């Protein structure tokens, strides 16, 4: 079961410049694991050293942030569209 | 934490002035915005709201909804989202550890130092692929690069 994943601009160099790719999985966690297995360059920028999604990486299923659903256990189907949406933060 | 790189970006006329003006307008708070263009040539700086809840004097945040708007704006302008700018109020135009911890790859990060409400140094930085540090790039097209020499500041 393949689900469409929208890739933001800074990560497209790791997906052969594609702005949308497909990956498989029954949950968001499985889907992202398949995504990073296919496109290994994504992993360091999506996950921290403890294997957790970085705080400024937002995963949306359709238009809902998975933090307000079941996080990486959120079910996903072929009819869903998953988006990786950056927050951009910094300071002195 | 930083080294130099051969990477360069070019600011079209008006871009550096717009960034400096934004930094002065929001002082003592940080400003932020998107950089739009193509092939390392930045044609537009699009101001975005700083939505941080950690204190805008020392932090900025572009929330996901505004990031989406920036991507849409880039598409409308026929360009690409090339990076983001922000100001460092009363601090030098060098990336902080906080900047590094939150950086995205392949983006240009333009930083303008705003000292006592006057915009001064402007620099551009790129995250190294291994996320270990930023490399400083060359910023061409800065219209005020010589008019506001930055004093030595150690933040």
């Amino acid at each position: 079961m393949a689900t469409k994943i929208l890739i933001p601009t800074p990560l497209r160099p790791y997906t052969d410049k594609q702005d949308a790719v497909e990956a498989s999985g029954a949950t968001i966690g499985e889907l992202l694991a398949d995504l990073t297995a296919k496109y290994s360059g994504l992993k360091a920028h999506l996950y921290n050293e403890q294997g957790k999604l970085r705080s400024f990486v937002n995963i949306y299923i359709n238009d809902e942030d998975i933090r307000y659903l079941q996080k990486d256990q959120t079910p996903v189907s072929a009819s869903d569209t998953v988006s990786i949406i950056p927050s951009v933060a910094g300071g002195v | 934490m930083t080294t130099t790189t051969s990477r360069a970006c070019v600011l079209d006329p008006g871009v550096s002035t717009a960034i400096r003006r934004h930094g002065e307008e929001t002082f003592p708070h940080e400003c932020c915005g998107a950089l739009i263009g193509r092939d390392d040539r930045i044609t537009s700086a699009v101001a975005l709201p700083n939505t941080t809840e950690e204190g805008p004097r020392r932090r900025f945040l572009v929330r996901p909804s505004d990031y989406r708007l920036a991507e849409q704006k880039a598409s409308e302008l026929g360009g690409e989202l090339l990076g983001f700018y922000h100001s460092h109020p009363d601090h030098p135009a060098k990336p902080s550890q906080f900047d590094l911890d939150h950086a995205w790859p392949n983006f240009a990060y333009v930083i303008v130092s705003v000292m006592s409400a006057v915009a001064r140094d402007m620099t551009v930085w790129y995250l190294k692929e291994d996320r270990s540090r930023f490399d400083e790039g060359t910023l061409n097209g800065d219209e005020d690069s010589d008019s506001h020499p930055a004093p030595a500041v150690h933040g």
Side-chain angles (χ1 to χ4, degrees), chain A residues 9-10 14 45 87-88 90-92, chain B residues 60 62 71 96 99 104 106 129:
Chain A
T9 301
Y14 311 111
H45 301 297
S87 294
V88 180
V92 298
Chain B
F60 81 92
V62 176
E71 291 247 14
S96 63
D99 287 327
W104 287 89
N106 307 302
E129 185 55 43

Side-chain angles (χ1 to χ4, degrees), chain B:
Chain B
M1 189 171 63
T2 60
T3 56
T4 56
T5 176
S6 59
R7 192 161 177 183
C9 75
V10 179
L11 305 179
D12 265 14
V15 172
S16 67
T17 300
I19 294 171
R20 281 198 163 85
R21 185 180 301 133
H22 193 194
E24 291 176 347
E25 285 171 357
T26 62
F27 185 89
H29 296 169
E30 296 199 13
C31 72
C32 55
L35 302 170
I36 292 170
R38 189 171 291 280
D39 298 332
D40 289 326
R41 179 181 162 206
I42 295 168
T43 54
S44 301
V46 178
L48 295 170
N50 178 358
T51 61
T52 185
E53 295 179 348
E54 297 181 53
R57 286 174 181 255
R58 298 180 59 82
R59 297 284 185 259
F60 81 92
L61 173 67
V62 176
R63 60 192 168 193
S65 58
D66 289 322
Y67 177 89
R68 273 183 155 170
L69 288 176
E71 291 247 14
Q72 288 172 9
K73 185 72 175 175
S75 181
E76 289 168 12
L77 292 173
E80 296 174 344
L81 185 58
L82 298 181
F84 286 84
Y85 70 86
H86 70 284
S87 61
H88 279 182
D90 287 332
H91 281 75
K94 291 188 174 180
S96 63
Q97 183 64 44
F98 194 82
D99 287 327
L100 178 64
D101 291 343
H102 293 80
W104 287 89
N106 307 302
F107 266 164
Y109 282 88
V110 167
I111 302 175
V112 60
S113 170
V114 183
M115 310 299 289
S116 302
V118 178
R120 294 183 179 273
D121 270 1
M122 189 181 294
T123 53
V124 63
W125 305 85
Y126 299 90
L127 180 67
K128 276 185 74 72
E129 185 55 43
D130 65 3
R131 303 191 62 89
S132 63
R133 62 178 185 262
F134 280 103
D135 286 332
E136 183 171 12
T138 302
L139 193 62
N140 296 315
D142 180 0
E143 293 149 315
D144 294 318
S145 60
D146 297 325
S147 61
H148 299 299
V153 175
H154 303 284

Side-chain angles (χ1 to χ4, degrees), chain A residues 26-75:
Chain A
T27 63
I28 287 290
E30 291 177 8
L31 189 75
L32 294 180
D34 187 49
L35 175 72
T36 53
K38 286 179 175 171
Y39 303 101
S40 59
L42 292 172
K43 195 164 187 177
H45 301 297
L46 294 180
Y47 295 98
N48 63 20
E49 291 73 13
Q50 290 74 45
K52 301 289 188 186
L53 275 176
R54 295 183 182 277
S55 61
F56 50 91
V57 175
N58 306 284
I59 306 296
Y60 281 63
I61 178 166
N62 303 317
D63 282 323
E64 291 194 77
D65 188 333
I66 64 163
R67 291 187 185 92
Y68 304 108
L69 298 171
Q70 294 165 253
K71 301 181 181 175
D72 62 354
Q73 295 302 309
T74 304

